[in-house]
Amino acid sequence: MEKYTKYDAIVIGAGHAGCEAGLALARTGKNTLMLTLNLDSIAFLACNPSIGGTAKGHLVCEIDALGGEMGINTDASLTQIRMLNKGKGPAVYSLRAQVDKISYHTRMKRVLENQENLSVKQAEVSEILTKNGKICGLSTAQGEKFLCDTIVMATGVYLKSQIIIGQYKSDSGPNGFSPANLLTKNLIELGFKVLRFKTGTPARVDGKTVNFDIMEKQIGEEDIQSFSFLTETPLKNTAACYLTHTTPETKKIIINNIHKAPLYCGLIKGIGPRYCPSIEDKIMRFADKEVHQVFLEPESKYTNEFYVQGVSTSLPVDVQNELYPSVTGLENVKIMRNAYAIEYDCIDSMQLKPTLEYKNVKGLFTAGQINGTSGYEEAAAQGLIAGINAGLYLDGKEGLVLKRNSSYIGVLIDDLVTKGTNEPYRMMTSRAEYRLWLRQDNADVRLTEIGREVGLVNDKRYEKFQNKLKDIAKCKQLLETKVKIDQKMIDFLNKKNESIPKQTIRIYDLIKKNKVNLHDVNEEYDFFREFDRKILETVNIDIRYEGYLKQQERDIKEMLKQEASKIPEGIEYGALKGLSLEAREKLEKIKPQTIAQASRISGISPADISILIIYLKMKAR
Ligand SMILES: Cc1cc2nc3c(=O)[nH]c(=O)nc-3n(C[C@H](O)[C@H](O)[C@H](O)COP(=O)(O)OP(=O)(O)OC[C@H]3O[C@@H](n4cnc5c(N)ncnc54)[C@H](O)[C@@H]3O)c2cc1C
């Protein structure tokens, strides 16, 4: 009788989602196998060599606060870091790092290989096996079978993936990696609704052939916050990016060849990301714009390849050979890898529970691009939660559902399972209702206790977190200090163009003034010298935006009341005549777990919600 190896859990995929899921399972003591089509694609940055950016930076800090790996891996492999949106409010301050692609991959591969309870193997999963509606194992195309009790599927952009360059269409994953052509059939048999999405990437060009002298150099910022709350060594900027522009010539080339663009001649069927448009899309959509911004981003210190951000395309190679040299500074450029579009299969995320478990198969969780999102950070966030929940499933415990007031991760997953997405979903700060509370600097205040409860936050991180809370409390206490209005204070306030109070002034009231913040006071007075910049930043924002935060707290309380009213399983919505037909259909399909979730489903009216509440009250009675 054939003997099959048994694991507690198996993770399909070693992309950004798979890595977080596998580490979360292994670090909570589950004997885990991680399978990937190619070990060289572990944590592969298929598109831009950067992590973070608006709202994506928040996701990375939240992953770190919960005990995930992406923040640490980014700090360890970054070549440049900047805080975006500093001219706007603190809710949208976003860290963005340029990373060394090769170092990012190599370090993550080593972390996986050295992780206790985790085995990593190269193989193509062809079939997921179930028994009585539950996971029991999987088979590979290479003829192996593994047994397990739970699976996290994080197959990314590889399911039946095809790359497209003009008329050229080939079965391939990104960067020439092989596609996964067998699993989709099995997923359809398991009842998954499969969608076809697409995304695209620009060419990689040889830096030796780029004229950087006529471009605007962009360097990183010193003394800046890290992604990981554990990072202690100051971050070093070692590489620059370069800003340039397309030209009217670029526009002409595209317009003259638009009929060859797969997107415009119907060769591409998959739905693309609205917020990462190709250059041909930008030229056609913003016809009034003559030129578009382009950034040259270094891929790694181990190669001369540069990523041409802003010129993603799937136009034929001969057009690309005209197009890239028309960009200022690229006149003599050599293309090392052509730009391409990639189409791939993904699933309808409304078939998932808020724990990311598939509704039709117990123990099967999905995460990442397969759920219809786009982005390393979005994928890693889902991978972490799916990994945590697969572990809790094995322990027979209730799954972790992060609410919309706790995190961008909570907003992301709730949007996916409640509203679904008919195009690659990218996280944005505008998607969050409570964004002044969901800042990067307080991600640990919001999430590290939860990470501790699920067993992912180790003692070192927990102690550091506790010390931070103590420091914040102590710093806030010190704000009660009264400062006398002496010449020093008068000079300080005059310098800040602020009015001079008659009596002594509490530092608390001082930083409530428009033009004074806690960093200014810290430069002038030595009350706060024992605290590091991050503590001062959090306290400064908490106090200066106290009114708004209090209002958000009230809104959150109201929302949590609705979240608390659970909807029992097994309700026959079809029988609730008072509900609109659309409401009955959508409630039946999504099976919301709370009144709050039901009220967020598009097409469900407040009237439908009142009928549901009355029905539940009567049922309870
Ligand atoms: C060309 C391109 C352009 C992109 N452009 C952007 C962009 O502009 N902006 C943006 O935010 N994001 C972009 N992305 C998306 C970004 O790369 C993904 O969001 C991210 O990599 C998704 O992570 P993931 O973990 O879900 O999947 P991936 O990183 O794709 O990893 C999937 C993993 O699953 C494995 N796998 C798949 N099927 C099987 C199987 N059957 N058996 C075993 N292993 C399997 C693969 O080997 C791989 O390890 C782009 C991606 C590509 C390819």
Side-chain angles (χ1 to χ4, degrees), residues 46 154-162 172-174 179 199 342-345 369-370 373:
T155 52
V157 293
Y158 289 79
L159 292 186
K160 283 213 171 145
S161 55
Q162 291 181 303
S172 170
T199 185
I342 185 166
E343 277 188 348
Y344 55 93
D345 290 346
Q369 195 105 358
I370 189 176
T373 57

Side-chain angles (χ1 to χ4, degrees), residues 2 11 20 228 245 326 364 535:
E2 265 206 280
V11 175
E20 297 297 339
S228 176
H245 293 85
S326 74
L364 178 55
I535 299 292

Side-chain angles (χ1 to χ4, degrees), residues 9 11 86 95 128 186 191 375 456 508 577:
V11 175
K86 280 303 295 223
L95 279 173
I128 288 171
N186 172 240
L456 264 186
Y508 170 90
K577 292 286 172 272

Side-chain angles (χ1 to χ4, degrees), residues 13-17 36-37 47 56 123 125 154-158 199-200 369 374-375 379:
H16 307 281
T36 174
L37 295 163
C47 195
K56 289 169 178 271
V125 176
T155 52
V157 293
Y158 289 79
T199 185
Q369 195 105 358
S374 184

Side-chain angles (χ1 to χ4, degrees), residues 12-19 35-38 41-48 56 123-126 154-159 173-174 178-181 183 199-201 273 276 307 340-342 367-370 373-380 426:
I12 309 175
H16 307 281
C19 291
L35 296 169
T36 174
L37 295 163
N38 192 321
S41 74
I42 287 177
F44 176 60
L45 300 166
C47 195
N48 48 346
K56 289 169 178 271
E124 176 182 355
V125 176
S126 54
T155 52
V157 293
Y158 289 79
L159 292 186
S178 56
N181 284 336
L183 193 54
T199 185
T201 195
C276 292
Y307 172 93
Y340 63 89
I342 185 166
Q369 195 105 358
I370 189 176
T373 57
S374 184
Y376 315 131
E377 305 80 359
E378 288 84 346
R426 184 195 184 292

